[in-house]
Amino acid sequence: MSTSEPDKLMIKADKMTKLTLTRWNADWRGATDLYEQAAVAYRRANDYEKAKIAFEKASKGQEMLSSPWDAAKHMESAASLAKDLKKWNEVADFYRRASELYNECSRAQPASDALMKGARALEETAPEEAIKLYTDACVLLEEDGKEQMAFDLYRAATSLYIKLEKYNDAASFLLRLGLAADKCNATNSQCKAYLGAIIVYLYAHDIEQAEKCYNDCAEINAFQGSDQNRCAVKLLTAYSEADVEEIKRVAQSSTITHLDHAIIKLARKLPTGDVTARNEASKEQEEPLDENDLT
Amino acid sequence: MTVIDIPFRVDEICKKYDKYDIEKQREQNAYGDDQFARLYGTFESEIDSAFEKSERAAFEQNRAVSVALNAEIRRTKARLVAELPKLQKLAHKKVKGLSKDDLIARGDLVLALQERIESIPDGTSGGAKQSAGGLSTSAPNNNHIKFDSSDGNFDADYFQQSEESGAFRREYEMHRMKQDEGLDVISEGLEQLKDLTHDMNEELDRQVPLMDEMEMKVDRATSELKNTNVRLKETLFKVRSTRNFLIDIILLCIILGTVSSDATRRQPKFFIPTLATKDNAHFRVVIFPDGAFKSIIPFRHGCVMCQASYYPPQGHAADPIKFAALPW
């Protein structure tokens, strides 16, 4: 029977690793080989549970043989199998372990890739966990000085936040993206990130926050001379004048069409809520100032 | 003398006798000595040309051309009027060969000339014709600003101008609108292109360090591969030396022999080939069923002698019954 073959291999490998009276040193090399063979055989037979276990043990064996690269690879395979089995907590653990092992090899890129795969797998079911994984992945890349790879991660994390309707977090992530872009002189991405942040604030109907954000961003030279800056100005003036038609027209413009998909969707839905209240609110703010000035 | 030569000869003769031509001499002398007369002559010619131009302008349909002609005429007139005082001064000068009456006559001539110059029509006399209906261009000499053109002729011209200019203006506005639309389309396309190229630029920037890393790794891999290839070649060379080949072949033959001997033990076989030796003697090879073979060389006396016999390893004796003495 073909299914018993990998079983036999597993048993043999287990025997090799167990320390008994007759065996003083565990034979990890042979055991790892057997584990790998068993895992492949299980996977072919679509027995994912046992394959996952076999991969875990193979990875442990590779660790003992001090080859973290192979160990990490096996861990990743185990994690993808766990994903198929829908064991989400195991998925997260495995991917984290894989990324640690990659870090041991001092290879930051695959480490963050592992975390990214984990995050993508967990997007639907455990979004907070996914966001944590994304954040860790971004941190890894930034430490290694490869911010450019982090753009995709930031964008994915932002869209996840928007899906969760955590707009403040989304906007702050976009600002972080802008910072990373600034470090690698990617001015276009930077300006797009800032415009995206402003739009997210406007969508959350937090106009003061949006204006504050705009004022912060306007001090950056790269943003000042860009199309996105002009677009942001138009949008904010349209808001302050409570001109709904103008807002809609700006939202259709090509500058916004080149942003991220999630942000375009938000922009098309502007304006949210009542725009006319803006002018009255600003007037109320002015009066206490006048009193202070007089006295 | 040919016909062609005739005009040349005539000219020569005329030139020779020109000094006897009184009128011509007078003209030349007059022009040669009399500045007044010369100047007067130029004045007259210019006035004539001005008159011709004015006549042409009057019949001209194209307004631009007529306006240009009139402007030329006016310029000429102004110039002539400026040069008149010079002519007058010359008129009072005394020239030899002229009588007092002639001098007075010259003064009169100058005055007449002045009148003639001023009489040249240059388009300003018909003032209302120049004034535009809709547009505001007008001749600089036009002092007749008529608000109430009751003249029937002018009315016809008036409307014609406004129609044309109105049509021109409408066409101009339409073209400008179309241009604006086209420019809008172009600007949109350019914006899209700009965004796309910015993104492409950043993507390429992102991939540059990746390519550098890849290059390094690939270089390392190629050098390792070269090393391995060289070592493999050396190993193969050692394995494939000629001596080893021969040994291989001999061993192969022996093995084949043993195999074939084992295989053919049970089968009877008579195989008698004829082989020729150097001295043309025939000898035959007989193969026994047990694998032994003998080569037989005949002697003269009919007896045979065996040579080069081979016995099978297991020591089976050759079966004498099967031994054949064959006639030849």
Side-chain angles (χ1 to χ4, degrees), chain B residues 71-107:
Chain B
E72 264 183 61
I73 295 167
R74 265 178 256 131
R75 256 208 311 274
T76 324
K77 269 167 72 174
R79 203 166 23 115
L80 291 172
V81 164
E83 287 190 8
L84 262 180
K86 215 164 64 171
L87 192 63
Q88 268 190 334
K89 254 197 277 178
L90 283 172
H92 294 298
K93 255 179 148 181
K94 273 203 170 172
V95 185
K96 66 171 179 186
L98 272 176
S99 57
K100 271 192 189 167
D101 291 332
D102 273 336
L103 273 171
I104 300 167
R106 278 189 180 181

Side-chain angles (χ1 to χ4, degrees), chain B residues 1-10:
Chain B
M1 193 162 80
T2 59
V3 177
I4 301 165
D5 287 334
I6 293 175
F8 286 128
R9 288 207 66 167
V10 166

Side-chain angles (χ1 to χ4, degrees), chain A residues 30 52-53 76 88 101 103 119 135 150-151 161 234 238 246 251 275:
Chain A
K52 177 173 69 88
I53 297 171
E76 272 198 46
W88 307 116
L101 289 163
N103 262 332
T135 327
F151 289 169
Y161 268 129
K234 268 192 258 179
E246 179 67 26
V275 191

Side-chain angles (χ1 to χ4, degrees), chain A residues 107 146 148-149 151-152 186-190 192 227-228 254-255 258, chain B residues 188 191-196 198-199 202 205-207 209-210 213 217:
Chain A
R107 304 278 287 273
K146 292 199 169 59
Q148 296 212 318
M149 310 298 157
F151 289 169
D152 290 327
T187 42
N188 202 27
S189 289
Q190 193 184 5
K192 287 204 285 196
D227 274 341
Q228 283 84 7
S254 69
T255 319
H258 277 273
Chain B
E188 253 187 62
E191 261 191 68
Q192 277 194 359
L193 269 178
K194 189 179 91 134
D195 283 323
L196 280 171
H198 269 298
D199 285 337
E202 290 192 355
D205 283 339
R206 199 149 50 126
Q207 298 198 350
L210 292 175
E213 251 189 71
K217 287 187 187 166

